[in-house]
Amino acid sequence: MRNPVTGQSLVSYFDAGQALVERAVSAGTRAQIEWMGLTASARGRHMNAAIRALEGQEESLAQLESVVAGKPISDCRGEVGKVREMFEYYAGWCDKQHGEVIPVPTSYLNYVRHVSYGVVGQITPWNAPMFTCAWQLAPAIAAGNAAVLKPSELTPFTSVVIAGLLESGGLPKGLINIINGVGPTTGAALTDHDGISKLVFVGSPESGRMIAQAGARRLVPSVLELGGKSANIIFNDARLDDAVAGAQAAIFAAAGQNCVAGSRLLIQRDIFDEVVERLGRAAAQIPVGLPEDDATRMGPLQNARQFERVMAMINTAIESGARLMTGGHRPQGLPEGTGGYYLAPTILADVTPDIAIACEEVFGPVLVAMPFDDEAEAIRLANATRFGLAGAVWTQDVARAHRVAGKLRAGTIWINSYKAINVMSPFGGFGDSGFGRSSGLDGLKEYTLPQSVWVETGGQASVAMGYGNGVG
């Protein structure tokens, strides 16, 4: 592992590999039986008690996340609070996962119950390791499962600490297992293990396809939350102060390393020059610096491979005719010793829809600005991508806002805002952005299977030889 700020070696650790994955799955299998031996209400109480083990550790967790991921400390402090929020929310669902009775037209009593998968495998990304750890663990155990989670090999440590704290707070030993290692060895051992009944992955479409294929070989279902190329649409009647501030935060927060980053800015033509000029001025004022500095609003990219990829995409776009409005280089005035993966906030204009940077995920602080003439063109440009994770509409016309939102092919749409996310609301994408949902009740349901039970209540048992006999 390398320090994103300096590019220097930070720490080394052993790859877990097949043997440790085997132990983790075995531990999860035992713990899940113990966990389901408790009443639903007791599981909820245990979850609430466990999350209190984080009290007093919030700053340490935030500092650890900031160092390893290169994220501003102010962002990491906020994400620690989200960890607690997620566990508290799903703890409340433990004893509210009701079944239902189906009024079949016979003497049978037919009811449906929701049963857990058993042990689930989860793989989380390097851009938000602490957030996505809780994002997946909380609903999984609330639904009665055990979990074996592999964080990215680039950012493994906050997941380990969170799991340890939760276990110290009273969760059964082995209910949550963290395995650290690289994808081809540890990741493959997890996805191929016969004891894993469902796979959940957050990351790139390329890796997501491999996860889905691994599950398909064993006929195991998967949930994939993949990348995005989200369109942020500004109409000429929008409140421009709000829209410009929203567009800036949408792409430059977390140095653009966010699956919902508003990386495509579609601006109505008669306000295009004004919006781009204002954004350029605002981008130049973003405090880029050391992650541990409270004033920093944007840190480095997390790793060298990602930095090189982003720079290559910028250079290719310029060679293809894009106009560099600002950025595209290391920021000026960084402290001495910051030889890591810094990139100044970057804006490209004169981008045509057919070049790669207009339709492929960049995952860096790079905004592509494109003009449109009318509502129909805005919708067409917004949907001209394989991705469908998120999008936004800025307008004061309420009818237009709802009309356009309804025609965008994306899992989350914001109107006159950006990146409002809460654990109560479902999150996921269309197309290459994946399938299945995280968070909300939909996220909880991803971790259970419906089971239909038929009870004969008549005086004489009905034994049918064919489908439909005895069912009126």
Side-chain angles (χ1 to χ4, degrees), residues 85 117 123 131 156 176 186 224 272 314 352 367 381 406 415 458:
E85 180 182 277
Y117 277 91
I123 300 177
F131 183 92
I176 296 173
T186 300
L224 305 178
F272 182 85
I314 293 171
T352 55
L367 179 65
L381 289 171
I415 296 174

Side-chain angles (χ1 to χ4, degrees), residues 288 298 307 311 314-315 318 324-332 334 341-346 365:
V288 181
M298 199 180 99
F307 177 81
M311 290 302 301
I314 293 171
N315 291 333
I318 294 171
L324 181 65
M325 304 297 295
T326 188
H329 53 74
R330 276 180 58 86
Q332 302 296 316
L334 289 174
Y341 316 122
Y342 281 93
L343 174 62
T346 300

Side-chain angles (χ1 to χ4, degrees), residues 344-367:
T346 300
I347 300 175
L348 295 168
D350 298 340
V351 175
T352 55
D354 58 320
I355 68 173
I357 208 161
C359 52
E360 298 294 335
E361 184 175 44
V362 178
F363 223 61
V366 182
L367 179 65

Side-chain angles (χ1 to χ4, degrees), residues 372-424:
F372 66 88
D373 289 310
D374 55 27
E375 184 178 309
E377 186 182 16
I379 294 167
R380 179 179 59 79
L381 289 171
N383 289 332
T385 174
R386 302 188 316 274
F387 295 102
L389 193 58
V393 181
W394 298 84
T395 179
Q396 296 185 70
D397 184 332
V398 174
R400 172 196 278 161
H402 289 286
R403 186 169 60 244
V404 173
K407 293 180 180 179
L408 297 181
R409 295 289 297 167
T412 296
I413 304 295
W414 296 286
I415 296 174
N416 295 329
S417 68
Y418 206 95
K419 207 179 175 183
I421 293 176
N422 188 273
V423 67
M424 299 180 186

Side-chain angles (χ1 to χ4, degrees), residues 293-309:
D293 188 341
D294 285 331
T296 295
R297 289 297 172 265
M298 199 180 99
L301 297 176
Q302 200 280 328
N303 59 83
R305 180 181 178 183
Q306 185 62 20
F307 177 81
E308 291 163 3
R309 178 179 180 274

Side-chain angles (χ1 to χ4, degrees), residues 122-140:
Q122 303 169 326
I123 300 177
T124 55
W126 48 259
N127 64 306
M130 181 165 56
F131 183 92
T132 52
C133 171
W135 187 254
Q136 300 304 336
L137 286 178

Side-chain angles (χ1 to χ4, degrees), residues 246-312:
Q248 175 182 312
I251 182 59
F252 298 130
Q257 300 168 116
N258 191 296
C259 56
V260 297
S263 55
R264 288 187 300 151
L265 187 63
L266 308 182
I267 310 165
Q268 199 149 19
R269 192 174 300 276
D270 57 352
I271 60 169
F272 182 85
D273 290 341
E274 178 186 356
V275 170
V276 170
E277 191 271 333
R278 290 176 63 171
L279 268 171
R281 289 202 311 267
Q285 299 302 313
I286 295 174
V288 181
L290 297 174
E292 65 266 27
D293 188 341
D294 285 331
T296 295
R297 289 297 172 265
M298 199 180 99
L301 297 176
Q302 200 280 328
N303 59 83
R305 180 181 178 183
Q306 185 62 20
F307 177 81
E308 291 163 3
R309 178 179 180 274
V310 172
M311 290 302 301

